[in-house]
Amino acid sequence: WQQQIKEGGMYRMPEFTIMAYNIEHMNLMFENNVIKSLKRERAQKIAKIIQDINPHVLGICEAANFLDEHKHFIENYLSGSGYQLAQGVSRGGQNLVFYYRDPFTIKSIDDAFSFYDPWIADIEEDGLKEQHKWERKPLEAVFEIGSGGPRLRIILVHTKSKGIFSVVDLHNFQKIALANRKRLVGQALKLRSRLDQLLQEQKPLPVVVMGDM
């Protein structure tokens, strides 16, 4: 990229920060598209973390669902940051979105949405094929750095939780724990196949995989 920085007669490439952040149940912080009064302190603390790191691209897991909610959060808690929102199809109550700022621009979003549709796989190699799905399909975006600059693809992932949140006996606890891990393996293998597909392209873009995994 031609926009190099000159320091002491030497040129160095600019550095950029890319951040993943699980803002737990961000959607529950809003009412009528604004932060609830009882959640303002939490919103300020979240914003301070983002401001301290000051990422050029921020991938949010468990994000709010609506454009107006993110607009309110950015304008009132990240004022002057220059962040814009990139979101694809809503993933529901635990959404996935990107905030980004100059010199990053968005070139495509969610262009691989159908790749993550439910699929059949034999993950245990026991001859039994099982159906797998994502609770939240990964969100893919291609960014360009500067006008006509290099591009990279970022895949934001929030995999199945290993947590067991119901009160069960030990037998069912073990059964559910094993099932959760099998689902995680299935999702990991699906993601790996997507990366293989991308890396086999004639001119593959750099890829960053991040999120809550």
Side-chain angles (χ1 to χ4, degrees):
W1 190 31
Q2 294 183 358
Q3 294 186 15
Q4 296 179 344
I5 301 171
K6 190 173 184 179
E7 291 183 345
M10 301 292 290
Y11 287 93
R12 70 174 179 84
M13 298 299 291
E15 295 181 356
F16 302 105
T17 301
I18 298 173
M19 172 184 175
Y21 191 1
N22 185 328
I23 301 178
E24 185 178 8
H25 296 303
M26 186 183 186
N27 62 314
L28 298 181
M29 296 170 61
F30 293 85
E31 186 173 34
N32 296 323
N33 298 326
V34 301
I35 295 289
K36 299 175 184 177
S37 58
L38 293 177
K39 299 295 182 180
R40 289 173 186 166
E41 183 179 358
R42 181 176 186 236
Q44 291 168 352
K45 290 179 179 179
I46 290 168
K48 187 177 187 306
I49 291 172
I50 296 171
Q51 291 167 333
D52 286 348
I53 298 174
N54 196 29
H56 294 83
V57 178
L58 169 65
I60 302 177
C61 298
E62 298 198 31
N65 290 327
F66 301 112
L67 173 63
D68 286 345
E69 293 174 339
H70 288 288
K71 183 178 179 181
H72 170 79
F73 181 69
I74 291 171
E75 290 181 352
N76 291 274
Y77 294 88
L78 297 172
S79 178
S81 65
Y83 280 125
Q84 299 183 63
L85 174 69
Q87 63 178 354
V89 177
S90 173
R91 271 64 173 174
Q94 295 184 331
N95 202 11
L96 299 169
V97 304
F98 289 107
Y99 290 1
Y100 66 97
R101 62 182 178 86
D102 287 340
F104 283 72
T105 56
I106 194 82
K107 305 308 293 185
S108 68
I109 186 80
D110 239 358
D111 58 342
F113 187 76
S114 62
F115 179 87
Y116 299 103
D117 286 344
W119 70 101
I120 302 294
D122 176 13
I123 64 167
E124 295 179 286
E125 298 183 350
D126 58 2
L128 297 176
K129 292 186 177 181
E130 301 167 311
Q131 186 171 38
H132 298 265
K133 69 174 184 178
W134 290 85
E135 289 73 28
R136 301 157 290 268
K137 293 183 179 181
L139 177 64
E140 297 193 19
V142 174
F143 292 92
E144 185 173 270
I145 307 174
S147 178
R151 295 184 179 187
L152 76 159
R153 181 179 295 268
I154 301 179
I155 305 178
L156 183 62
V157 181
H158 189 182
T159 54
K160 174 73 181 75
S161 172
K162 297 193 298 295
I164 299 173
F165 305 105
S166 57
V167 178
V168 295
D169 58 68
L170 181 59
H171 172 74
N172 280 321
F173 184 93
Q174 292 173 335
K175 183 178 178 181
I176 295 171
L178 178 59
N180 285 349
R181 282 157 177 78
K182 288 172 65 176
R183 291 162 75 178
L184 274 168
V185 170
Q187 292 175 1
L189 291 172
K190 186 67 173 178
L191 181 59
R192 177 71 256 178
S193 67
R194 174 60 176 157
L195 294 174
D196 290 340
Q197 182 186 72
L198 290 170
L199 294 172
Q200 289 167 6
E201 292 180 351
Q202 187 172 3
K203 294 182 178 180
L205 295 177
V207 181
V208 175
V209 180
M210 67 180 190
D212 185 346
M213 296 178 278

